[in-house]
Amino acid sequence: MSVARVSIQTGDFDLSQELATLRAGDKRVGAVCSFIGTVRDRNDGSTVASMELEHYPGMTEKAIEAMIDEAHKRFDILGARVIHRVGLLQPLDQIMMVAVVSAHRGQSFEACEFLMDYLKTQAPFWKKEQTPEGARWVDARVSDDAALARWGITAPNA
């Protein structure tokens, strides 16, 4: 049974279950690297009461699939899985997961970081925070662009 590499969903996810599924039965796997992003209660000096994420179904999955394809070209990895939640989220909620499996830890770490840097700037998500000052849209940071540039990619934010 093949597991989807990308899931965009409103519901939460179980990291241990996702990692077990990603590495299941593959005796070549010697390293598993994962990153979980969570909703913070502060951003740019303001309290964040909630965050709402929007995307274009189909377009978002296709863009993230292309990112995973690029990670496979650049790194010696055996598999990758990206989950990103959409809808209304509260501080402490898990917002996204990137997981990578490989034979050796270095490739897993690098591919996971590459995918995160790519996701922060190139994945077509729109984030809106609710703050005491009102609602505001969140854009990628200059530091996110710089992180992507270190991989030799200079592209405008999605």
Side-chain angles (χ1 to χ4, degrees):
M1 177 176 88
S2 180
V3 176
R5 298 189 310 173
V6 177
S7 294
I8 309 300
Q9 60 195 52
T10 56
D12 202 1
F13 54 88
D14 180 324
L15 175 63
S16 62
Q17 181 181 15
E18 294 296 335
L19 295 182
T21 300
L22 182 60
R23 63 185 284 239
D26 192 341
K27 294 179 181 178
R28 301 171 299 163
V29 174
V32 179
C33 184
S34 64
F35 176 86
I36 302 293
T38 59
V39 179
R40 294 182 304 269
D41 70 346
R42 299 194 63 74
N43 189 26
D44 289 336
S46 290
T47 302
V48 175
S50 65
M51 177 182 283
E52 189 167 0
L53 285 97
E54 299 177 5
H55 78 297
Y56 284 126
M59 179 179 144
T60 304
E61 292 87 345
K62 183 177 178 181
I64 297 172
E65 285 284 352
M67 292 173 198
I68 293 173
D69 289 343
E70 184 64 25
H72 274 281
K73 290 176 191 170
R74 290 172 177 250
F75 308 100
D76 187 14
I77 60 173
L78 302 169
R81 175 113 166 93
V82 174
I83 299 173
H84 209 297
R85 294 179 66 195
V86 293
L88 185 63
L89 299 171
Q90 307 298 320
L92 299 177
D93 284 349
Q94 297 183 129
I95 190 171
M96 56 84 54
M97 176 199 89
V98 172
V100 177
V101 292
S102 67
H104 303 284
R105 71 179 183 267
Q107 294 295 293
S108 282
F109 277 119
E110 285 187 297
C112 191
E113 193 167 16
F114 170 79
L115 285 169
M116 275 307 307
D117 290 343
Y118 214 150
L119 280 165
K120 288 291 286 183
T121 59
Q122 300 304 302
F125 289 101
W126 294 269
K127 302 175 186 177
K128 182 170 51 173
E129 295 175 332
Q130 292 295 331
T131 71
E133 296 81 29
R136 66 181 180 195
W137 291 98
V138 179
D139 198 5
R141 301 170 192 269
V142 172
S143 60
D144 295 331
D145 292 331
L148 185 63
R150 75 186 173 108
W151 301 106
I153 301 170
T154 53
N157 290 333

